[in-house]
Amino acid sequence: MAEVVILPDAAAAGELAADIIGDLVQARPDAVLGVATGSTPLPVYQALAARRLDLSRLRAFALDEYVGLALDHPQSYHSVIAREVTGPLGLDPARVHVPGEGPIEHAGDVYEHALTEAGGVDLQLLGLGTDGHIGFNEPGSSLASLTRVKTLTEQTRRDNARFFDSVDDVPIHCITQGLGTILRARRLLLLAFGERKAEAVAAAVEGPVTANHPGSAIQLHPRVTVLVDEAAAARLEHADYYRYVHANKPYWQPR
Ligand code: F6R
């Protein structure tokens, strides 16, 4: 069962996630952090930046990137990661990787190779799409999938239109780590906030494991922590039990 922590707001979740990442970096300064883009992880990056930790040896791998957008477009995930992660956290740009470089037909294999060479991801941050995607693995994605080009759903393009002038400017294609890639990370930290995510959170945590809901793949992973606010937790059947488990967490369990 995933560990589910229900927090008062996104800022509190950001602080807890920063605690967890801080512990990881203290134990292993050159750890490999899997980073996500979008609005959800921003409080994590803000909390982490405020701690002024030495993260110069940390290595980072992004989950995904749009295809068909110049890498220096302000909304490319290369640009977003540079602006919101690499700079504010003081990471070494040479240690930060985003998929989609070079010929696109080989970019998935190249990225898988780089992940393997790095020894795999220690901690993967994940957001959750309103349609249930993690990374850009849209409904129907194979549970064993690896990094590859995918087609975004209309729902995801509408959700992400807020970052562009119009929905028509949101790319149709993306390259994303697969569900199989994500499941290889040694720990998953999924965050979701707001009532628009409530249904997807319930399906990911408590629904059947199904390619129809890619977020449910987290149930196949032995070490998952889910940080949600009250609104995103609203559809969880066992919310009271998760609160009770968290309140009675044995002292020997790491956070
Ligand atoms: C982004 C990513 C996506 C987002 C998801 C939620 O790298 O992989 O899965 O996490 O679309 O987006 P926000 O956080 O903007 O609601």
Side-chain angles (χ1 to χ4, degrees):
M1 181 185 102
E3 176 191 25
V4 181
V5 188
I6 302 169
L7 293 140
D9 53 30
E15 293 294 339
L16 182 51
D19 288 346
I20 292 169
I21 296 167
D23 288 351
L24 171 68
V25 175
Q26 197 177 15
R28 196 168 160 215
D30 66 343
V32 178
L33 181 67
V35 289
T37 49
S39 305
T40 306
L42 295 180
V44 181
Y45 304 139
Q46 280 153 12
L48 209 48
R51 296 179 188 204
R52 303 195 173 282
L53 304 173
D54 177 7
L55 302 176
S56 58
R57 293 179 59 203
L58 190 68
R59 294 169 291 165
F61 281 83
L63 279 169
D64 40 25
E65 173 60 290
Y66 292 115
V67 171
L69 216 55
L71 297 188
D72 63 356
H73 185 286
Q75 291 308 328
S76 79
Y77 286 170
H78 278 73
S79 298
V80 172
I81 291 286
R83 198 164 60 231
E84 288 165 358
V85 182
T86 312
L89 299 189
L91 304 190
D92 174 358
R95 291 172 173 254
V96 179
H97 308 271
V98 182
E101 291 176 13
I104 194 64
E105 55 275 33
H106 302 306
D109 290 345
V110 167
Y111 205 62
E112 287 290 329
H113 183 71
L115 280 161
T116 304
E117 285 282 288
V121 171
D122 290 301
L123 175 72
Q124 178 65 56
L125 288 171
L126 294 170
L128 184 63
T130 58
D131 69 356
H133 68 226
I134 52 174
F136 273 146
N137 294 282
E138 299 288 29
S141 295
S142 158
L143 298 176
S145 50
L146 301 178
T147 306
R148 74 252 184 259
V149 172
K150 287 287 288 180
T151 306
L152 296 170
T153 61
E154 285 298 326
Q155 186 170 334
T156 297
R157 293 181 67 226
R158 275 197 304 275
D159 285 347
N160 286 7
R162 68 190 191 280
F163 297 114
F164 294 83
D165 289 339
S166 84
V167 68
D168 296 330
D169 295 327
V170 183
I172 292 175
H173 296 105
C174 63
I175 179 165
T176 179
Q177 288 189 31
L179 295 173
T181 317
I182 292 169
L183 291 174
R184 285 204 312 265
R186 287 180 272 283
R187 184 174 181 184
L188 303 181
L189 189 56
L190 183 142
L191 296 94
F193 310 121
E195 60 181 344
R196 292 186 66 244
K197 300 289 176 76
E199 215 166 296
V201 167
V205 174
E206 297 177 339
V209 175
T210 165
N212 276 337
H213 197 289
S216 66
I218 65 170
Q219 295 176 43
L220 297 171
H221 196 284
R223 190 154 188 224
V224 185
T225 304
V226 176
L227 306 184
V228 284
D229 62 5
E230 293 285 348
R235 302 288 290 271
L236 287 170
E237 199 181 325
H238 302 294
D240 287 343
Y241 181 62
Y242 306 134
R243 287 193 185 88
Y244 167 82
V245 170
H246 189 64
N248 293 290
K249 191 164 171 165
Y251 70 88
W252 63 85
Q253 274 185 11
R255 63 183 169 207

